[in-house]
Amino acid sequence: WVEQDPKEILNSVYECVERTCEKMRELNIDIANIRAIGVTNQRETTVVWDKTTGEPLYNAIVWLDLRTQSTVERLLKRIPGKNKTFSKFKTGLPLSTYFSAVKLRWLLDNVEEIKKAVEDGRAMFGTIDSWLIWSLTGGTNGGIHCTDVTNASRTMLFNIHSLEWDPELCKFFEIPMEILPNVRSSSEIYGVMVCFPIFESGALSGVPISGCLGDQHAALVGQMCFQDGQAKNTYGTGCFLLCNTGQKSVFSEHGLITTIAYKMGKDKPAFYALEGSVAIAGAVVRWLRDNLGIAKTSLEVEKLAAEVGTSYGCYFVPAFSGLYAPYWEPSARGIICGLTQFTNKNHIAFAALEAVCFQTREILDAMNKDCGIPLSQLQVDGGMTNNKILMQLQSDILCIPVVKPSMAETTALGAAMAAGAAEGVEVWSLNPGDLTAVTCERFEPQINPEESEYRYARWKKAVMKSMGWEASTSTNGKPK
């Protein structure tokens, strides 16, 4: 179970706004220069709140939460031939614990307060972007209940061709359509910031909120991947490789999902992307730190790995939340194998970093098969890209250069670009000719491809051993 308090998320946003305004004053930058606000968020995370009180009716269920495994199994029984990809051509997604519809179904089945709020017409559903925009534009006092096409495309309730909520899917999941937010483009004025008592300065009241993109889509924009075939990989808690496929939706034959990349304005076309999603990347470093205690900081994990420079035949499959792309295997669990008496914590640290790289290689291979044009280099961003060992290892395992922009926070940049380019704001042009080149750091492969292939084949063998571990889980999250 992975939950977050929606109020805590909202308060962290208030604090971020206040601190940023303070810093700008210290730097003698006039706050009146802030012309627009963009929102970017972890996707799929599900919140239901009461529109009369503005209070969340339950904690937010986070994207990698696994409590919905039994919900997925129950829903599968209702599909002819138990076909996980039954809605693939409408939504681009397989039926999985990952997407919002099953989390919402779980809430409706298990939380009496939410069931009652829906019956009374008080409930509102949204992903984190909707919760933030509604709250920031006034909440109970005229707040705007909306989402953008990128976040909507991760719910399993949205038709990615018609760009509307799908009545048949809502019926299948038994979700009332009146609780869903209005779907808008990723770059338009949704509403303006309202001044709250919590804001001491009231600094940004009246500033339009005009950009909204799920985090991975924002990173694609921030990496300037506006052309068909351009791709980026973001290393955060999980790992997400997105490849722009232009104005056509490409359906994967190799376990990737189809998603809306962005729609930069009401009258602009939607662009699509193929995505490979890996649940555990940075989370494995945190696990080594917090659960095993083999290091006090993430930086120390990097140092441990650097000291040995090899896993010495040890392989780590961090399937803590099952396996996402390309397997979609919820029954998998994490394993460390190939241990000998010689293995120590340094080797395990190295194997953990290597696991992030192997998982990326799996989704990159799938991407290359689906797109038919192999990527000649990989653009990367996210917190983990500060780890130079990891970036070099990634290049070695992929056998192609890895390119990291000097500003690794491209997710925030993408949301800002969408906000600044919106009609009525227009302080930023997204025409490729107007975009400046970004300084980058390049990592070139340094090991021979045979060595890389050998290690990758061993890793695949380890993945096979991690599968089929859990038969099923009961609703209380404990194995049956």
Side-chain angles (χ1 to χ4, degrees):
W1 288 36
V2 191
E3 298 183 355
Q4 286 173 322
D5 177 353
K7 297 283 286 271
E8 198 180 320
I9 294 174
L10 183 59
N11 288 333
S12 74
V13 171
Y14 290 143
E15 191 181 344
C16 172
V17 169
E18 281 296 319
R19 297 265 182 96
T20 303
C21 292
E22 273 167 35
K23 274 199 164 163
M24 287 174 75
R25 282 194 197 94
E26 283 164 23
L27 296 165
N28 290 325
I29 301 168
D30 186 355
I31 289 168
N33 288 338
I34 297 180
R35 297 283 296 280
I37 295 163
V39 173
T40 180
N41 56 292
Q42 41 166 299
R43 309 166 301 168
E44 299 93 17
T45 297
T46 299
V47 191
V48 180
W49 68 95
D50 185 322
K51 66 176 161 198
T52 55
T53 64
E55 292 293 311
L57 293 165
Y58 194 78
N59 277 339
I61 301 186
V62 179
W63 58 276
L64 45 61
D65 183 287
L66 277 182
R67 79 187 67 184
T68 51
Q69 186 46 43
S70 51
T71 310
V72 168
E73 283 167 20
R74 202 179 69 244
L75 290 165
L76 267 177
K77 286 183 185 138
R78 291 173 39 201
I79 302 164
K82 290 192 175 181
N83 177 10
K84 265 186 205 172
T85 58
F86 80 110
S87 73
K88 174 173 159 177
F89 294 106
K90 270 188 182 182
T91 65
L93 314 173
L95 182 60
S96 158
T97 57
Y98 182 20
F99 307 108
S100 315
V102 288
K103 300 180 196 306
L104 184 49
R105 186 64 258 153
W106 187 93
L107 287 166
L108 291 166
D109 290 338
N110 293 280
V111 182
E112 203 51 54
E113 221 178 322
I114 288 182
K115 216 180 299 180
K116 180 142 179 36
V118 169
E119 285 162 15
D120 298 349
R122 290 180 287 114
M124 282 184 160
F125 151 78
T127 39
I128 296 295
D129 56 308
S130 299
W131 162 243
L132 292 179
I133 293 172
W134 183 81
S135 302
L136 296 172
T137 55
T140 53
N141 194 4
I144 307 293
H145 188 212
C146 69
T147 186
D148 89 301
V149 290
T150 66
N151 282 296
S153 76
R154 315 296 297 193
T155 57
M156 275 206 104
L157 301 171
F158 187 69
N159 186 314
I160 59 173
H161 312 292
S162 67
L163 306 185
E164 288 173 342
W165 296 119
D166 190 285
E168 282 179 14
L169 286 166
C170 290
K171 201 170 159 189
F172 174 76
F173 288 104
E174 294 172 56
I175 285 164
M177 292 182 80
E178 55 275 14
I179 72 173
L180 303 177
N182 289 321
V183 184
R184 315 271 287 267
S185 76
S186 315
S187 176
E188 61 177 271
I189 296 174
Y190 311 110
V192 297
M193 279 282 268
V194 169
C195 183
F196 293 89
I198 195 163
F199 283 145
E200 291 128 45
S201 61
L204 300 184
S205 70
V207 176
I209 299 178
S210 56
C212 179
L213 287 155
D215 51 7
Q216 304 312 323
H217 314 256
L220 192 74
V221 170
Q223 285 268 27
M224 324 279 178
C225 295
F226 293 122
Q227 256 117 27
D228 197 341
Q230 286 184 302
K232 66 88 208 170
N233 195 28
T234 300
Y235 298 76
T237 302
C239 229
F240 300 90
L241 179 63
L242 268 71
C243 180
N244 188 332
T245 62
Q247 290 177 47
K248 59 179 190 302
S249 49
V250 174
F251 291 95
S252 174
E253 298 296 317
H254 303 94
L256 301 179
I257 59 186
T258 306
T259 197
I260 294 177
Y262 50 81
K263 182 181 188 307
M264 287 303 182
K266 276 183 207 169
D267 308 320
K268 297 277 172 47
F271 279 70
Y272 294 86
L274 272 174
E275 173 173 321
S277 329
V278 167
I280 305 292
V284 72
V285 174
R286 209 171 354 181
W287 184 83
L288 290 177
R289 187 190 70 199
D290 300 346
N291 295 31
L292 284 197
I294 67 170
K296 288 190 179 66
T297 63
S298 301
L299 188 65
E300 215 178 303
V301 174
E302 184 181 352
K303 283 193 182 127
L304 287 173
E307 279 167 24
V308 284
T310 171
S311 70
Y312 202 74
C314 163
Y315 290 86
F316 190 159
V317 182
F320 304 151
S321 294
L323 288 167
Y324 284 10
Y327 302 101
W328 300 104
E329 191 43 78
S331 69
R333 285 295 175 273
I335 61 166
I336 301 175
C337 55
L339 300 174
T340 67
Q341 262 176 281
F342 181 70
T343 313
N344 61 29
K345 64 183 181 178
N346 299 64
H347 301 120
I348 290 172
F350 192 92
L353 296 185
E354 221 174 17
V356 175
C357 301
F358 286 135
Q359 290 182 106
T360 298
R361 165 86 192 258
E362 290 194 297
I363 54 181
L364 189 80
D365 282 0
M367 196 79 76
N368 287 340
K369 285 176 194 156
D370 281 326
C371 294
I373 310 157
L375 282 183
S376 54
Q377 62 174 36
L378 183 64
Q379 287 173 236
V380 300
D381 58 79
M384 281 189 100
T385 59
N386 295 327
N387 183 329
K388 285 189 165 34
I389 303 254
L390 180 74
M391 292 298 97
Q392 184 54 55
L393 200 51
Q394 187 66 87
S395 177
D396 289 346
I397 286 167
L398 296 179
C399 306
I400 57 172
V402 165
V403 181
K404 176 196 162 190
S406 50
M407 211 286 280
E409 294 300 336
T410 47
T411 301
L413 177 62
M417 286 164 68
E423 193 182 334
V425 178
E426 293 151 290
V427 291
W428 215 322
S429 161
L430 300 186
N431 295 331
D434 299 331
L435 298 170
T436 48
V438 185
T439 53
C440 291
E441 190 176 353
R442 275 176 81 84
F443 296 86
E444 301 278 349
Q446 288 179 353
I447 63 171
N448 68 37
E450 289 76 31
E451 161 77 4
S452 175
E453 290 304 322
Y454 172 75
R455 277 156 53 185
Y456 182 48
R458 294 287 289 265
W459 152 263
K460 300 272 269 195
K461 196 170 159 188
V463 170
M464 290 303 141
K465 295 194 185 308
S466 77
M467 296 215 199
W469 201 260
E470 284 298 336
S472 168
T473 52
S474 57
T475 46
N476 66 4
K478 295 192 171 66
K480 273 185 179 161

